[in-house]
Amino acid sequence: MSSLIPTSTVAEHADLDSCWIIVHSKVYDVTEFLDEHPGGSKIILKYAGKDATEAYEPIHPPNAILDNLPIEKHIGSIDPNTVVKVVKEVTEEDRRRQALMDARPPLDEILNLHDFESVAKTVLTPKAWAYYSSASDDEITIRENRAAFQRVWFRPRILRDVTSVDWSTNILGCKSSLPVYISATALGKLGHPDGELNLTRAAAKHGVIQMIPTLASCSFDEIVDAAQPNQPLFLQLYVNKDREITKKYVQHAEKRGVKALFITVDAPQLGRREKDMRMKFVDDGAGAKVQEGQKDVKKDQGVARAISSFIDPSLSWKDIPWFRSITNMHIILKGVSTPEDAILAYEAGCQGIVLSNHGGRQLDTARSGLENLIDIVAALKTKGPWPNPNFSVFVDGGVRRASDVLKAIALGASAVGIGRGFLYAFSSYGQEGVERAFEILRDEFEMNMRLLGARNIREVVPDMVDASALSAHAGLTPTDNLFNTTYQPLGLAQFKNA
Ligand code: 173
């Protein structure tokens, strides 16, 4: 259908019986979809008969409407001559946040990745902060991810002529200026209007590899289009219940030059992230008149749970040969925690694994990737050469310092993923923030490798660390001052009007 629709016509469809909305200048009839909307009907009804683009964009993957709404409900395009530019009402909260943005510390005063987190916590909307920072249940694992690094101590070597040190490496056949890649995090536009493109552009300038998330705010093609020719990119994959959709997506990615497929295997269901869930309750309070008296659905879902229903919980080891049959990209399983599964992944013909607990957002009290690294490397050594050129082990979770990265590398990791660190960098300073984060890491690598006596990544060896305390879970971790002041503990149940 291609008719041009006046905004006044859309405005006539503004209730439960007939509900139209505008997104990106297109008009959709969502009446029958109201009850199915994973985020509840209330939030759609707030925009009934109106333009919902601004609310829609940051929290939906770009194809959400195309994927979920039958084509006959796509009514047409809005008649541009009828669009009245609404001057967006600037709220007290907007003003307060803008003042904080204006008062941010200048970038050269940002000295480490924790600093980005504290700025992000201040300038992000409460909803974005809740979604990004939250972890599952009691948030034990997210804190353990940091703590584990502090239970590993260095054993530096001396007198090795460290005039020149080189921390560049090769990750799955791709050159990388750092032994670090950008791990996937969803919904970048909650943090910054350019979303994931901040990462793509900064990565291009600094020779870092970005892992594109399935649930990015920008579309896959927008991200690839923003990359430089031959800029290496990886893809994180959530496997759809409809395997044809997954197949198309994977093969499209391969055609566009993506080098490796990181299949997320630790999220058959999303963890309960209570900060995120509480934020949903708060938002519901601001409903429009039309919602009164209506029983809303699925109130207990935060941003993440609301958009994750397509993920297939039936995914199993039996699917791995199918992935192998549809793509020649490297296949990496993201979210492995045990030697048993590491061996299964190796025997299934995967090219690697990420020891990850999903940034503490899935199974709470799961051990840290760093701790799991010890047993997993020991198990893999019994199966083949080590380091194994055909099987890489990555770690993510809680990484904020080059010293964290070097510990993981010493214990056998090929490289390390950082998710939130870069997310907070662009949420607070856009692309420049990410570039600054790379520069900070670069400076930290230079200093730490000199002090450690390692002139290149191959010289970062197991003897350079003492991990004997790593499995001692109580009492031995020093206080992480920066993290503890940034970190926001879980909140309590809120009373109405309190
Ligand atoms: O950790 C996450 O928030 C995540 O992976 C996710 C999964 C589904 C939808 C949105 C985010």
Side-chain angles (χ1 to χ4, degrees):
M1 272 174 263
S2 60
S3 50
L4 288 184
I5 303 152
T7 46
S8 55
T9 308
V10 181
E12 286 163 17
H13 300 265
D15 55 33
L16 277 172
D17 299 325
S18 182
C19 177
W20 291 9
I21 55 164
I22 305 166
V23 175
H24 292 309
S25 306
K26 297 268 186 331
V27 182
Y28 301 99
D29 179 352
V30 292
T31 318
E32 284 166 30
F33 178 70
L34 285 171
D35 283 340
E36 288 167 39
H37 183 231
S41 59
K42 243 182 182 174
I43 187 72
I44 304 190
L45 285 165
K46 189 168 160 188
Y47 294 93
K50 298 192 218 138
D51 194 324
T53 309
E54 226 178 89
Y56 169 91
E57 198 178 30
I59 55 171
H60 293 81
N63 289 336
I65 294 188
L66 286 179
D67 292 347
N68 289 292
L69 200 68
I71 196 76
E72 62 273 17
K73 304 291 180 191
H74 299 218
I75 306 290
S77 295
I78 203 73
D79 179 348
N81 298 320
T82 67
V83 176
V84 189
K85 261 264 167 270
V86 214
V87 186
K88 199 179 159 259
E89 189 199 340
V90 182
T91 63
E92 214 25 67
E93 174 61 14
D94 292 337
R95 260 193 284 274
R96 191 186 69 83
R97 288 208 9 262
Q98 189 55 50
L100 289 165
M101 274 305 256
D102 296 343
R104 281 169 309 172
L107 255 184
D108 58 4
E109 287 181 18
I110 298 293
L111 299 184
N112 55 54
L113 267 56
H114 295 285
D115 285 348
F116 287 115
E117 185 156 359
S118 71
V119 176
K121 182 181 175 185
T122 309
V123 300
L124 280 172
T125 63
K127 193 173 188 163
W129 173 253
Y131 170 62
Y132 289 164
S133 67
S134 61
S136 52
D137 293 3
D138 295 310
E139 303 198 334
I140 308 281
T141 288
I142 191 177
R143 281 173 285 168
E144 165 62 6
N145 283 348
R146 289 282 322 122
F149 283 107
Q150 291 148 15
R151 297 199 302 271
V152 175
W153 300 88
F154 281 126
R155 300 178 71 248
R157 300 300 307 271
I158 54 168
L159 297 177
R160 286 189 157 183
D161 184 356
V162 287
T163 315
S164 79
V165 284
D166 176 11
W167 47 92
S168 67
T169 192
N170 190 293
I171 306 178
L172 296 167
C174 306
K175 276 174 69 171
S176 176
S177 69
L178 299 172
V180 167
Y181 60 86
I182 303 171
S183 197
T185 51
L187 302 178
K189 284 193 183 172
L190 273 179
H192 188 280
D194 291 351
E196 296 79 11
L197 301 183
N198 290 297
L199 298 169
T200 317
R201 294 172 184 142
K205 280 177 84 171
H206 290 255
V208 175
I209 304 169
Q210 177 187 15
M211 187 195 297
I212 302 173
T214 297
L215 289 163
S217 296
C218 301
S219 75
F220 172 83
D221 284 310
E222 261 179 281
I223 297 174
V224 180
D225 290 345
Q228 294 302 310
N230 298 321
Q231 178 177 340
L233 294 165
F234 299 154
L235 178 67
Q236 175 269 338
L237 182 72
Y238 273 121
V239 180
N240 200 299
K241 288 174 186 147
D242 181 340
R243 288 293 195 280
E244 276 307 304
I245 294 178
T246 290
K247 181 175 169 184
K248 261 208 210 132
Y249 186 60
V250 168
Q251 295 186 336
H252 178 67
E254 184 167 4
K255 258 200 214 105
R256 295 230 51 195
V258 167
K259 300 287 183 248
L261 185 65
F262 285 68
I263 306 174
T264 295
V265 293
D266 61 5
Q269 172 177 345
L270 277 213
R272 288 168 54 89
R273 295 114 186 226
E274 294 176 8
K275 280 181 197 141
D276 189 31
M277 290 158 81
R278 286 198 204 285
M279 211 29 78
K280 181 68 175 24
F281 278 108
V282 173
D283 235 41
D284 272 356
K289 260 260 165 293
V290 69
Q291 304 162 13
E292 280 170 15
Q294 194 222 333
K295 62 173 180 16
D296 203 9
V297 284
K298 300 170 186 155
K299 254 196 161 178
D300 61 334
Q301 311 208 10
V303 170
R305 286 191 143 211
I307 61 168
S308 62
S309 56
F310 74 92
I311 298 172
D312 190 353
S314 84
L315 187 69
S316 81
W317 289 107
K318 290 196 214 104
D319 292 294
I320 305 299
W322 177 75
F323 283 106
R324 190 66 295 160
S325 76
I326 64 163
T327 181
N328 288 317
M329 286 186 282
H330 297 304
I331 294 178
I332 315 296
L333 302 187
K334 178 172 176 289
V336 171
S337 293
T338 60
E340 298 91 300
D341 285 335
I343 299 289
L344 286 176
Y346 179 68
E347 289 176 345
C350 296
Q351 280 66 53
I353 48 180
V354 186
L355 313 190
S356 169
N357 50 43
H358 209 118
R361 290 159 79 84
Q362 288 299 102
L363 181 63
D364 198 25
T365 69
R367 307 201 312 179
S368 71
L370 189 73
E371 185 176 355
N372 291 328
L373 184 60
I374 307 251
D375 301 349
I376 287 175
V377 167
L380 288 170
K381 277 183 179 167
T382 68
K383 290 283 162 181
W386 189 265
N388 190 327
N390 301 316
F391 195 80
S392 303
V393 179
F394 304 104
V395 171
D396 71 26
V399 178
R400 295 292 184 278
R401 295 276 192 189
S403 55
D404 300 333
V405 178
L406 292 170
K407 288 172 185 177
I409 288 175
L411 292 170
S414 303
V416 160
I418 298 184
R420 286 195 189 88
F422 298 135
L423 179 63
Y424 292 138
F426 80 68
S427 297
S428 43
Y429 294 92
Q431 176 185 340
E432 279 181 63
V434 183
E435 293 194 40
R436 175 82 184 136
F438 294 152
E439 283 160 13
I440 289 169
L441 288 172
R442 190 191 63 200
D443 289 352
E444 289 188 355
F445 276 114
E446 179 173 57
M447 179 195 72
N448 281 296
M449 286 179 67
R450 283 209 171 109
L451 298 182
L452 195 55
R455 285 155 297 199
N456 57 52
I457 291 296
R458 285 179 311 284
E459 287 188 358
V460 181
V461 292
D463 281 350
M464 285 179 168
V465 290
D466 167 7
S468 59
L470 185 47
S471 285
H473 287 231
L476 294 169
T477 302
T479 305
D480 187 341
N481 288 312
L482 274 171
F483 176 77
N484 288 351
T485 43
T486 318
Y487 177 74
Q488 176 181 306
L490 280 168
L492 303 176
Q494 276 193 358
F495 284 74
K496 275 190 187 144
N497 307 322

